[in-house]
Amino acid sequence: MSIQLASIDLNLLLVLHTVLTERSVVRASERLHVTASAISNGLARLRTLLGDPLVTRKGRGIVPTPRALALAPALARSLREMELALDALPFDPPSCARTFTLAVADAGQLTWGPRIAARMASELPNARLRVVGIDSLVSLGDLSSGEVDLHIGLAGRGPGLHVEPLLEERTVLVARRAHPLRGRRLSARALGELQHVGVEMVPGKSFRDVVGAAYARAGVRRDVVMTVPTFTAAIAVVAECDLVTTLPASLAEGAGTRLGVRELDAPFPSHTVKLALCWHERTHVDPAARFFRTLVRQGVLGRGS
């Protein structure tokens, strides 16, 4: 006879386990804080479901049937595993072997990635870090899907989303080292004559649009002649021609010279982008996820708290 687990009240399995452990209906009722009649009724329901007496009376105690004895080890093991899973055991970072997924733009991967990796190696030595681009929030699903644990970027909105302000990142306009306008103080008119490479990491919510809004507020028309999905792609293009692009200042200062670009002297549209840590309610109270968020926060901010 095939029995579907969904057809069984799981409390009945706890009743059977306790009766088999105590070898007494009365002691089982005391342990489970219910009446003896409730235990007897539970056993009766199980007998009907399983087609077996399960236990028979012997004096003041009970004797398990062969079927009950066969079930006893599986019941004990399953209930113990469930207890361990539900028990709020202290989180032990050195023994954590989980894989954490962080979604962050390539600028953050270059500037904060090494610091985050160093902290992972020091504080979560057995864990794994998977870093994906912002576009992965589209291809893998949003933070509620379970594919991404933490996102660093522009603050989002949505059901169950937690957002923690992280830092304000200044942006700068950069060009190749030998650009004709390098070393000159640019006027609004000169800025309006430049041709730009825009960075659009996620369609419909792009860094390009944020920068464009800053230009618009300054009254300067921004001529975007090329759009790329990453900051490093924008740098690669700008380093080889007279196009310009806007980068986070930390990337321009930390790797710009090495990658072949330098900041232009422009009165605007330097502005700040507010970045946040974003995660879903599903991991909000999880000890490992909370530890990982602290580790990433410290890595980005470059401090121990």
Side-chain angles (χ1 to χ4, degrees):
M1 179 178 63
S2 177
I3 299 175
Q4 298 297 319
L5 188 61
S7 68
I8 300 178
D9 180 350
L10 297 183
N11 286 319
L12 299 181
L13 300 181
L14 177 60
V15 167
L16 178 58
H17 167 73
T18 308
V19 168
L20 294 175
T21 301
E22 298 293 336
R23 289 291 200 274
S24 165
V25 169
V26 173
R27 288 196 296 272
S29 68
E30 292 172 349
R31 180 170 165 182
L32 295 179
H33 305 289
V34 297
T35 64
S37 61
I39 297 294
S40 296
N41 289 336
L43 288 174
R45 291 171 61 189
L46 269 179
R47 288 186 182 109
T48 300
L49 285 168
L50 300 179
D52 188 271
L54 297 175
V55 295
T56 58
R57 291 188 178 277
K58 182 180 181 181
R60 294 185 179 181
I62 57 98
V63 177
T65 66
R67 179 75 183 279
L69 289 174
L71 287 171
L75 285 174
R77 182 172 60 252
S78 298
L79 290 170
R80 178 54 181 162
E81 289 177 355
M82 184 61 69
E83 287 175 348
L84 291 174
L86 295 175
D87 194 14
L89 296 175
F91 173 61
D92 181 41
S95 64
C96 176
R98 187 158 143 186
T99 295
F100 297 93
T101 300
L102 171 67
V104 61
D106 60 318
Q109 295 172 25
L110 287 170
T111 53
W112 313 317
R115 296 201 297 265
I116 294 173
R119 287 184 178 273
M120 287 286 295
S122 173
E123 301 181 44
L124 290 171
N126 289 302
R128 298 292 181 267
L129 177 61
R130 177 184 178 222
V131 180
V132 297
I134 301 299
D135 59 321
S136 292
L137 290 177
V138 175
S139 62
L140 295 177
D142 60 23
L143 290 169
S144 67
S145 71
E147 293 287 344
V148 176
D149 296 290
L150 188 62
H151 165 219
I152 302 176
L154 302 177
R157 293 181 181 179
L161 187 65
H162 289 261
V163 177
E164 176 189 306
L166 184 61
L167 56 80
E168 293 190 359
E169 178 80 292
R170 186 173 64 91
T171 65
V172 296
L173 185 67
V174 301
R176 66 186 178 95
R177 283 192 289 261
H179 194 281
L181 296 181
R182 278 270 300 130
R184 291 171 48 185
R185 176 73 167 173
L186 301 184
S187 63
R189 179 179 177 180
L191 281 172
E193 293 174 350
L194 293 171
Q195 292 184 313
H196 296 252
V197 177
V199 178
E200 185 173 330
M201 291 168 281
V202 180
K205 186 181 178 183
S206 67
F207 181 81
R208 183 193 69 179
D209 294 333
V210 173
V211 174
Y215 271 83
R217 287 192 298 270
V220 177
R221 184 186 67 86
R222 183 169 177 255
D223 184 14
V224 179
V225 299
M226 182 177 182
T227 301
V228 295
T230 64
F231 291 107
T232 48
I235 291 173
V237 172
V238 167
E240 298 298 327
C241 63
D242 287 339
L243 298 180
V244 298
T245 194
T246 300
L247 302 177
S250 60
L251 176 60
E253 295 165 0
T257 301
R258 174 168 53 84
L259 296 174
V261 298
R262 291 178 182 271
E263 181 179 351
L264 289 174
D265 185 5
F268 53 84
S270 180
H271 67 296
T272 57
V273 176
K274 294 181 179 180
L275 300 179
L277 286 179
C278 306
W279 65 93
H280 194 263
E281 176 66 24
R282 66 181 181 81
T283 60
H284 183 58
V285 298
D286 178 64
R290 291 176 61 182
F291 189 90
F292 177 63
R293 290 195 295 270
T294 298
L295 182 149
V296 170
R297 183 187 306 111
Q298 294 173 350
V300 171
L301 299 179
R303 59 172 183 255
S305 61

